[in-house]
Amino acid sequence: MSLPRDRCHECDPEAVFDLADGGLGPARKREVRDHLEECPGCKDLYGRELGLSRSLCSLEYAEIKSGYIPRSVAMALPTRRLSARFMWTLLAAALLVISLLALELHRSDPIAPMVDFLGMFWGFLAGAADVARASLATAAPVLLVALGVGAALDLIIAAAVFTALRFRRA
Ligand SMILES: [Zn+2]
């Protein structure tokens, strides 16, 4: 008995996952392998799942294997984690560019950007301090000291910049 043509073209990611996992019966295995030959997308997925199965030494993947994480979630994991990692890299790069730009602005005209930056920083500090007081009552003193040290450092830097500026203009 041969399968209907359209069934051969059906994509079944879960079956691909099972094939990589070695959890398919001989007949279904042949079916899925046949599909892989015709479908580059599923073949690509199979390759990725094979790599996933091989990296079982990591705790997370061991948990997937032992069934703590639902299969549908496990299947979505490789791409999700990759895109999340990409987003973090992007965020870090953006922060780096922003801080470099801020530094560049300080050099050319320290007053206006410096005041803007300080305002933003103080806003952030006040918000962070509120959150710390509300939710982390026991850790608040430590956090506030850390924030205070950060604020003091910022003030010292600001004072140094303003002093240098006044000295240059005098
Ligand atoms: Zn397919």
Side-chain angles (χ1 to χ4, degrees):
M1 185 198 124
S2 71
L3 288 160
R5 197 74 190 131
D6 62 327
R7 202 149 165 227
C8 292
H9 287 277
E10 224 173 79
C11 288
D12 187 351
E14 181 129 17
V16 173
F17 188 90
D18 284 336
L19 181 69
D21 213 26
L24 283 182
R28 187 80 181 107
K29 198 189 260 181
R30 206 178 314 122
E31 233 174 73
V32 178
R33 278 195 188 282
D34 282 350
H35 175 80
L36 289 186
E37 289 309 307
E38 295 168 26
C39 180
C42 287
K43 197 166 187 171
D44 189 50
L45 179 68
Y46 176 66
R48 269 185 286 147
E49 295 301 346
L50 263 191
L52 185 74
S53 300
R54 282 198 202 102
S55 56
L56 280 173
C57 44
S58 123
L59 181 70
E60 259 178 278
Y61 291 140
E63 278 176 357
I64 291 169
K65 187 80 171 177
S66 57
Y68 286 137
I69 299 171
R71 285 229 154 151
S72 53
V73 175
M75 277 160 61
L77 269 180
T79 44
R80 281 251 181 90
R81 303 179 91 236
L82 207 73
S83 61
R85 233 174 283 151
F86 179 71
M87 286 306 289
W88 278 115
T89 310
L90 213 68
L91 192 68
L95 281 175
L96 190 72
V97 168
I98 287 169
S99 48
L100 282 177
L101 271 176
L103 206 72
E104 198 56 44
L105 284 171
H106 286 186
R107 247 181 245 144
S108 52
D109 183 15
I111 291 185
M114 193 66 195
V115 170
D116 276 1
F117 181 73
L118 271 181
M120 273 171 59
F121 191 71
W122 273 114
F124 170 75
L125 273 186
D130 281 344
V131 170
R133 251 180 307 219
S135 62
L136 297 164
T138 50
V142 180
L143 262 174
L144 286 175
V145 165
L147 289 171
V149 169
L153 273 175
D154 205 58
L155 276 178
I156 290 168
I157 292 168
V161 168
F162 277 100
T163 308
L165 199 75
R166 267 174 59 189
F167 191 76
R168 203 178 63 186
R169 294 228 170 130

